[in-house]
Amino acid sequence: MALEGSLKDFGLQDIFQLIGLQRKTGILTIKSSQDTIYITFLDGKIVNADSEKAKIESKLGRVLLKRGSITEEQLNKALEIQKQTLQRLGYVLVKEGFITNEELKNALTQQILQIVYKVFRWREGEYYFSQEIAVEYDRDSINPITSESVLMEGAQMLDEWPIIERVVKHPDMVFEKTKIDQEIEISDSEEFDFESGVAEKRGDKIRLTQLVYDVYSLVDGSSKVMDIVEKSKYNEFDICKALYELSQRNLIEEKKEKPVEAPKEEVVKEAVPIEKPLKFAFIPILILLVIFTFANLFRFKNPLNTFSSIIAKDNLFNNIKYQKTFLQIYLLDSSINTYFLSEGEYPKSLQDLFKYNLATLESLTDPWNRGYLYINKNDNYYLIGFNSDGTQSLELIYTYILSGGIEKEYKEPEKRKKKNITFLE
């Protein structure tokens, strides 16, 4: 059994949802021009992730150094033992007493999530899921991560990345600190409102959370964003979000390169008179140049075309809202089944979920403020979402068909069949 295709046709969030819901075991391979990623699943949970460009084992030591868990001397000694025994680096570090098993688990979890969240931003690439009977992973050092928790965090990232990228445009950007008069102090409370881009002012001091302050300390006017990610103990998303906050609060700014003046020519060349026939030949060339400029300016995909930019922007926000709809539908579907297990029947309407604290009023409407369609008929139910234009989407239809009546289904929920989720056999 295999699941394969293009990320343009089927997003990574959809793939994770399929594997998680059907509790599949196997390896998901994702290839793009940027990298090739391998994500290992056990019963629908993530137990490992690796990158061809940077193996997780090779970066583990660096992560532990950044977290302050080990010293350079301890890492070098562990690497020497690993070279002689061919044992895992994490196993050697724990055996030698340099770190605890809990510290190792936290570091490996951070590495796995760093790789997984990186591919969440990919819009192009090919994927292939190979189902296996069993998979190999470090059972003593890795805690399985549920697909649901990754999807929840991934949904937030998809919502906020477009906002962050207005400031942190690419990993080669360099930021420098601005001149400020106020004193900076570390605060446990969250002072910055990401939605509005402003911070609540309290007194004369500037208050930053520990994470934002640590990132601020690494801004030196020469380090690129990728260098700060490499030096910091936090993940890329949190670092870029912190840089966005610091920029919005005018504590840092992009470093502009000073323009290099071209050397002045000392010798002035004599002007060569243009012959009359050459002047007439220049006129049609000038006309063609003007026509070419206007034709390209009003091409639909031209970035200088304002109308095209507005359409592209609308498509981006509609895509983000669609992904949010996908996640909301999935969570509502889970709440419906929780209601069933509690009451022995499906809710009459989605409002019942709100009454039983299984959903919020906001979650009962999609990002376009339209209510989801819910039909409870003949002990079956249908949950339907819509595209941005109000049309139905096959990916947003959940249908549960009972066999043998409610009583049998309640006792044997595993016999329920989810019709809209299938794998290629």
Side-chain angles (χ1 to χ4, degrees):
M1 186 218 69
L3 174 68
E4 60 183 316
S6 170
L7 292 179
K8 289 183 178 179
D9 303 324
F10 207 58
L12 197 62
Q13 299 86 352
D14 306 331
I15 301 169
F16 271 60
Q17 187 182 39
L18 289 175
I19 297 173
L21 286 173
Q22 296 196 349
R23 298 187 176 184
K24 297 298 179 182
T25 296
I27 300 175
L28 176 65
T29 303
I30 311 159
K31 293 183 179 181
S32 77
S33 57
Q34 303 177 50
D35 199 354
T36 299
I37 302 297
Y38 305 96
I39 302 175
T40 305
F41 289 85
L42 176 67
D43 296 331
K45 296 181 180 180
I46 302 170
V47 293
N48 199 13
D50 232 329
S51 161
E52 274 197 357
K53 286 190 175 180
K55 293 292 183 181
I56 191 170
E57 180 76 5
S58 63
K59 296 191 71 176
L60 175 61
R62 181 64 184 169
V63 170
L64 290 168
L65 277 175
K66 291 194 296 182
R67 294 169 67 95
S69 301
I70 59 174
T71 64
E72 193 82 40
E73 182 182 355
Q74 290 173 330
L75 177 60
N76 291 334
K77 182 178 179 180
L79 289 172
E80 186 63 31
I81 296 174
Q82 182 197 33
K83 186 177 179 181
Q84 296 172 359
T85 62
L86 301 179
Q87 295 171 329
R88 291 179 182 270
L89 178 60
Y91 174 81
V92 174
L93 290 168
V94 173
K95 185 179 179 182
E96 292 296 316
F98 297 150
I99 60 173
T100 65
N101 197 51
E102 192 63 29
E103 287 176 312
L104 175 61
K105 286 182 178 181
N106 292 336
L108 287 173
T109 299
Q110 179 182 340
Q111 280 294 90
I112 291 172
L113 291 176
Q114 184 91 338
I115 294 173
V116 172
Y117 290 142
K118 179 176 75 171
V119 296
F120 260 67
R121 299 175 61 194
W122 290 3
R123 292 294 175 266
E124 295 183 356
E126 304 295 323
Y127 64 85
Y128 176 82
F129 180 76
S130 174
Q131 185 171 354
E132 309 289 343
I133 298 175
V135 290
E136 291 294 329
Y137 74 100
D138 191 350
R139 298 176 184 272
D140 296 328
S141 306
I142 295 178
N143 288 326
I145 307 167
T146 63
S147 299
E148 290 82 357
S149 63
V150 172
L151 284 170
M152 290 291 289
E153 185 72 20
Q156 179 189 357
M157 290 174 58
L158 287 173
D159 285 342
E160 296 182 355
W161 264 120
I163 302 174
I164 295 172
E165 287 177 334
R166 296 174 192 169
V167 174
V168 188
K169 301 180 180 69
H170 54 81
D172 291 325
M173 285 185 67
V174 177
F175 288 94
E176 60 183 354
K177 294 183 176 75
T178 58
K179 294 182 179 179
I180 55 175
D181 298 327
Q182 300 101 314
E183 182 182 348
I184 295 178
E185 71 174 17
I186 300 173
S187 172
D188 293 333
S189 60
E190 192 66 50
E191 301 286 336
F192 181 75
D193 186 348
F194 188 82
E195 294 292 334
S196 62
V198 297
E200 182 181 353
K201 292 185 178 180
R202 298 179 183 175
D204 298 329
K205 295 182 180 180
I206 298 174
R207 291 177 171 82
L208 301 176
T209 61
Q210 184 68 58
L211 187 155
V212 177
Y213 180 81
D214 290 344
V215 174
Y216 178 73
S217 302
L218 294 174
V219 176
D220 55 13
S222 60
S223 297
K224 299 177 181 179
V225 173
M226 65 172 65
D227 298 328
I228 295 176
V229 172
E230 187 65 25
K231 295 175 185 177
S232 175
K233 64 182 179 180
Y234 305 108
N235 63 54
E236 180 184 6
F237 175 71
D238 289 336
I239 292 169
C240 291
K241 189 173 180 179
L243 290 172
Y244 173 84
E245 174 182 338
L246 292 168
S247 174
Q248 293 300 104
R249 299 179 69 173
N250 297 318
L251 297 177
I252 63 171
E253 62 184 3
E254 182 182 359
K255 184 177 182 180
K256 303 292 185 181
E257 296 292 337
K258 295 182 179 180
V260 180
E261 295 183 1
K264 297 180 180 179
E265 294 186 4
E266 297 181 358
V267 180
V268 179
K269 297 182 180 179
E270 294 184 3
V272 179
I274 301 176
E275 297 294 333
K276 202 168 186 179
L278 186 59
K279 290 181 180 179
F280 286 108
F282 179 75
I283 294 175
I285 296 175
L286 180 61
I287 294 173
L288 289 174
L289 181 61
V290 172
I291 294 173
F292 176 79
T293 302
F294 273 88
N296 275 276
L297 182 61
F298 289 97
R299 284 177 59 194
F300 183 76
K301 292 185 179 180
N302 194 316
L304 298 179
N305 185 338
T306 307
F307 179 73
S308 172
S309 300
I310 294 173
I311 296 297
K313 185 176 180 181
D314 287 344
N315 288 339
L316 173 63
F317 282 110
N318 281 334
N319 183 49
I320 293 173
K321 289 180 178 180
Y322 182 86
Q323 297 294 343
K324 185 176 180 180
T325 301
F326 198 102
L327 184 60
Q328 282 183 332
I329 282 278
Y330 163 67
L331 294 175
L332 283 175
D333 177 67
S334 299
S335 297
I336 290 170
N337 284 281
T338 301
Y339 183 99
F340 178 86
L341 293 174
S342 174
E343 300 300 315
E345 62 180 2
Y346 291 119
K348 301 300 181 185
S349 69
L350 293 181
Q351 294 292 333
D352 292 341
L353 299 178
F354 171 71
K355 294 177 183 178
Y356 281 74
N357 293 322
L358 293 175
T360 62
L361 284 177
E362 182 183 1
S363 67
L364 301 184
T365 57
D366 66 13
W368 295 278
N369 293 322
R370 296 182 303 236
Y372 295 113
L373 180 59
Y374 174 75
I375 302 172
N376 184 342
K377 186 177 181 181
N378 298 328
D379 297 331
N380 304 325
Y381 78 82
Y382 305 83
L383 181 61
I384 302 172
F386 305 94
N387 294 309
S388 59
D389 58 1
T391 59
Q392 292 184 10
S393 169
L394 291 178
E395 291 183 337
L396 301 178
I397 298 177
Y398 278 71
T399 304
Y400 278 126
I401 306 297
L402 298 183
S403 58
I406 293 180
E407 186 65 21
K408 181 177 181 182
E409 181 61 22
Y410 178 65
K411 291 180 178 178
E412 300 177 315
E414 71 277 1
K415 293 197 175 183
R416 209 162 35 204
K417 295 183 179 178
K418 196 160 199 179
K419 298 186 69 177
N420 67 314
I421 296 180
T422 57
F423 275 76
L424 302 178
E425 295 294 342

